[in-house]
Amino acid sequence: MQAEVVWGDRWSENSLTMAHTYMEVACRKKSLVCLAADRSTMAELNQLIDEVGPHIAALKTHVDLVDDWSAEAWTAFCSKANSADLLVFEDRKFADIGGISRKQMSGIYDIRSWADLVTAHLISGPDIVDGLQAGWNDVGRQGGVLLLAQMSSRGNLLVPDYTGKVVSVGKNHAGVFGFIGNGSRPEELKVLRKAVGPGKLIWTPGVNLAVGDGEMGQRYGSPREAILAGSDCIIVGSGIHKAQNPSHKAQAYADASWSAFVERSQSRNAV
Ligand code: S5P
């Protein structure tokens, strides 16, 4: 089925090209899974694409945690991801003023040249989104910013009042692809979806088929519950890359996310 039909309002009310690109990839792959590829060598990262590429729609990186990073190896890794029909999402969590964020898109890692998506905190104000978009513009590319509206870790300081302010600024900003919400708490996610409205995407970490507490204060909720509560992509890390068989696990997350998404679209159409 065509992406614009399945995604409904999410498609028609989001004008950002990268948002449509994601919705199309998700439909081709029948997967609303973004793999958090938190492995620290280039060989392990490349192996992950080989193992799970067909079952995921996006690959989330932390470019600064790779031990043997080199510009050549990274370029090859990104083109491998693109050949596997994956969006590349650098989870850089930018937080500085607009002009510096623009410069941080270049530098040694040159994020603007390979990332389709990046994360940012809105703590410094809305110019950060313009700065990041200018970064992509500087190299003739397009991308999307995911603003952190909630976090999954215990004790985080993104309290409801702050979340509300991030959403009210971000939902009206054309450069904003969507928001990071907390996948471990479906009730909070429903409130977030209501505030965001139908247009912007919500991507959620803190999701695992084994619900409960993770390492160092991480918390996990179920993939199905997250999608039904309004998430458009589950960000899964250790649930896949630490599994005995990452390919099988990735397929299980893809199936859970896609069937919940179909259920959600059907109930929307039924109303
Ligand atoms: O609130 C957040 C936001 C993010 S982007 N909580 C998170 O865990 N993340 C990221 O999601 C985190 O940086 C990591 O890469 C991933 C979760 O990995 P997992 O192993 O806990 O599934």
Side-chain angles (χ1 to χ4, degrees):
M1 204 187 271
Q2 277 194 314
E4 51 218 274
V5 178
V6 195
W7 284 95
D9 292 349
R10 205 75 88 242
W11 179 283
S12 54
E13 305 219 3
N14 195 324
S15 57
L16 194 72
T17 306
M18 194 53 70
H20 289 172
T21 304
Y22 165 67
M23 292 184 233
E24 286 172 339
V25 176
C27 287
R28 279 197 292 276
K29 297 282 192 73
K30 292 201 167 21
S31 172
L32 272 61
V33 178
C34 170
L35 171 70
D38 296 329
R39 283 195 178 166
S40 30
T41 66
M42 290 307 311
E44 290 173 314
L45 285 166
N46 282 303
Q47 187 189 354
L48 266 182
I49 298 184
D50 291 332
E51 288 173 342
V52 311
H55 309 304
I56 60 174
L59 192 68
K60 186 174 82 63
T61 57
H62 286 294
V63 67
D64 52 354
L65 63 68
V66 181
D67 295 332
D68 57 349
W69 187 91
S70 73
E72 298 73 37
W74 195 259
T75 302
F77 168 71
C78 291
S79 72
K80 192 182 178 79
N82 293 149
S83 308
D85 199 13
L86 298 173
L87 294 187
V88 180
F89 169 21
E90 170 56 22
D91 187 9
R92 170 64 178 69
K93 297 187 178 72
F94 291 94
D96 216 313
I97 58 173
I100 294 299
S101 299
R102 179 184 194 165
K103 289 187 176 181
Q104 288 173 322
M105 284 287 270
S106 57
I108 193 153
Y109 293 123
D110 202 25
I111 294 170
R112 62 191 179 170
S113 294
W114 49 266
D116 301 308
L117 299 166
V118 298
T119 38
H121 286 286
L122 204 65
I123 192 82
S124 60
D127 290 313
I128 190 168
V129 180
D130 298 319
L132 294 170
Q133 286 293 348
W136 276 304
N137 200 33
D138 290 338
V139 290
R141 293 185 76 240
Q142 294 196 20
V145 178
L146 277 149
L147 292 175
L148 284 120
Q150 296 176 330
M151 290 197 75
S152 62
S153 46
R154 73 183 165 205
N156 73 74
L157 304 180
L158 282 66
V159 294
D161 185 38
Y162 174 83
T163 300
K165 288 180 178 151
V166 171
V167 169
S168 69
V169 172
K171 72 196 258 191
N172 296 315
H173 199 303
V176 172
F177 173 95
F179 300 93
I180 296 291
N182 175 11
S184 75
R185 296 283 183 275
E187 290 312 315
E188 289 174 24
L189 206 46
K190 278 185 197 158
V191 175
L192 178 65
R193 172 47 75 196
K194 200 158 181 241
V196 168
K200 300 285 186 191
L201 293 150
I202 298 178
W203 284 29
T204 51
V207 168
N208 201 295
L209 287 166
V211 170
D213 289 339
E215 278 179 3
M216 303 187 79
Q218 176 70 302
R219 302 170 298 182
Y220 293 116
S222 113
R224 180 170 182 277
E225 295 296 314
I227 300 286
L228 292 179
S231 164
D232 303 303
C233 182
I234 50 170
I235 299 175
V236 184
S238 42
I240 293 174
H241 68 74
K242 284 200 179 153
Q244 287 258 324
N245 187 329
S247 171
H248 282 179
K249 263 285 149 52
Q251 171 87 68
Y253 279 96
D255 292 347
S257 67
W258 187 254
S259 62
F261 177 61
V262 170
E263 197 179 317
R264 188 178 93 190
S265 318
Q266 284 167 348
S267 67
R268 184 197 65 220
N269 291 338
V271 178

